Each structure stands twice: as structure tokens, then as C-alpha cells.
Amino acid sequence: MTIHVARVPMPRCAFEQIHVALYGYFPQSARDAERPFVWRVGEGGKAIYLASALRPTTPSMEATIEAGRSYEFSLTYKRVRNCKSKPIEIVAMPEMRERLIKWAADRGGDVGFVRLENPRAIHAQKHQKRVRLPIVDAYGSVFVRDAEAFERALVDGGPGTGKVYGLGMWWLDAIYAPLLQPDWRAAS
């Protein structure tokens, strides 16, 4: 599988509507289909990074994952066990680490180490209500055993929910670093 990665300008809309605006880069995806991309905010809120199995309508680069190789990663994801419970149950950091390790192992990757830091919350609107999402950043390395399974996992997004808020995109430096260069489109 090929992963298409792109950097696009931050849409001019409310934070909770960004994912809706990003669908415009994937007109080939049916509206009732599963979300065809994962995304995260970058460059201090000036850009969005996208990853998808589908080619977006904006300039993009193709990337592939190699089995038998380790990758450094970063990831922001939700620290909630059950969003339906009241009050929301925030997961302890050691359990978050174990969940991440298991998630990767089930998808062709072995996490060598992981460091969790910066627990915080983001706020957004959901169905005319203000919601608070407890999140955490994860940094580490993953050894890929099954490239195809791990590539699928990368475009589906990491553990937990919150993908509509830009959570769950695994940032692999070896894959996405070219997007950080001002002239990255010239190399695509």
C-alpha cells in the first residue's frame, strides 16, 4: 500500500469543523464511507498534515513503510477509557503506555520504548455542547514486523477516538519530515 502524505493550509473554520473541510481534498471518497484520512495540526496552527491511502487533490508525497525497520514516532491521543461514562474516566499514564504497545503489536509493530508527556485537554463543540478532551503526547520507537498491516494502521489512525479533532495520527519522522521543508512540493 502507498501512503499519501500532504501539508495543507489550516482551513478557516471552527476547530471542530476542520475534518469536514479536509474531506474536500478527497472527492473520490463517498460521504457515507469511513473517513479516508488522518490529520494533525502543525506549524503552530498554520498547517494541517494529512495521511491517506487515497491520493488527495493537493500536492502530496508517496511513502511506504519497510518491514524489519524501526521508526521514531510521535502521537497525540485521547486519555479516556469510556466517553459514555459520566464523569469521563481518564486513563492513568502506565495504562496508556500499555494500550499503545498493545495497539501497535496488534497491527504489525513492536513499540521499543514510549515516553508519555504533556497531559492536557483540548476543548471543542460537539452537538452544540462544549466538550473537554483529555489528551497526551507519546514519543517513542516502533519496530515494524508487518509493513502492510502497519501502513493500514497509519492511515486509519492510532489508538482511541478523537480522529475528527486531529488525534491519532502517528508522526513518523522518516516519513513525514520532508513535509516540514519549505520547498517540499518540489521534491514530490
Side-chain angles (χ1 to χ4, degrees):
M1 170 201 307
T2 299
I3 301 171
H4 300 278
V5 297
R7 179 179 74 200
V8 299
M10 174 66 81
R12 295 185 185 275
C13 61
F15 176 72
E16 53 275 354
Q17 293 299 312
I18 292 173
H19 73 285
V20 175
L22 296 177
Y23 271 95
Y25 293 108
F26 301 93
Q28 69 273 42
S29 176
R31 285 291 177 184
D32 57 350
E34 287 190 34
R35 173 191 25 78
F37 58 88
V38 291
W39 62 278
R40 72 188 274 171
V41 175
E43 300 175 30
K46 295 179 183 174
I48 297 288
Y49 301 114
L50 295 168
S52 178
L54 300 177
R55 182 183 305 276
T57 58
T58 191
S60 63
M61 298 184 318
E62 294 182 355
T64 56
I65 300 297
E66 297 174 36
R69 178 175 173 193
S70 289
Y71 295 88
E72 300 297 312
F73 72 85
S74 67
L75 162 72
T76 300
Y77 65 117
K78 207 157 70 168
R79 289 185 62 203
V80 176
R81 179 175 291 114
N82 181 357
C83 292
K84 306 235 185 283
S85 69
K86 303 291 184 222
I88 291 175
E89 186 178 355
I90 297 178
V91 178
M93 296 295 249
E95 184 180 333
M96 291 298 296
R97 182 177 289 106
E98 293 306 313
R99 288 172 67 184
L100 181 61
I101 290 168
K102 181 179 179 345
W103 182 91
D106 290 347
R107 290 159 181 84
D110 296 321
V111 173
F113 77 92
V114 63
R115 181 180 81 246
L116 301 174
E117 58 185 54
N118 197 17
R120 63 197 184 282
I122 57 173
H123 296 86
Q125 291 289 119
K126 183 176 183 179
H127 308 296
Q128 286 79 41
K129 289 185 181 178
R130 188 145 173 84
V131 295
R132 179 181 176 271
L133 303 170
I135 60 174
V136 65
D137 297 327
Y139 302 91
S141 69
V142 61
F143 177 81
V144 176
R145 288 179 281 107
D146 181 337
E148 188 172 329
F150 202 73
E151 284 175 340
R152 172 56 42 207
L154 289 178
V155 298
D156 288 344
T161 59
K163 308 300 186 294
V164 298
Y165 301 110
L167 303 176
M169 180 178 172
W170 283 62
W171 180 276
L172 303 181
D173 287 338
I175 302 297
Y176 299 113
L179 294 177
L180 300 175
Q181 303 303 317
D183 61 344
W184 74 271
R185 292 177 190 204
S188 60

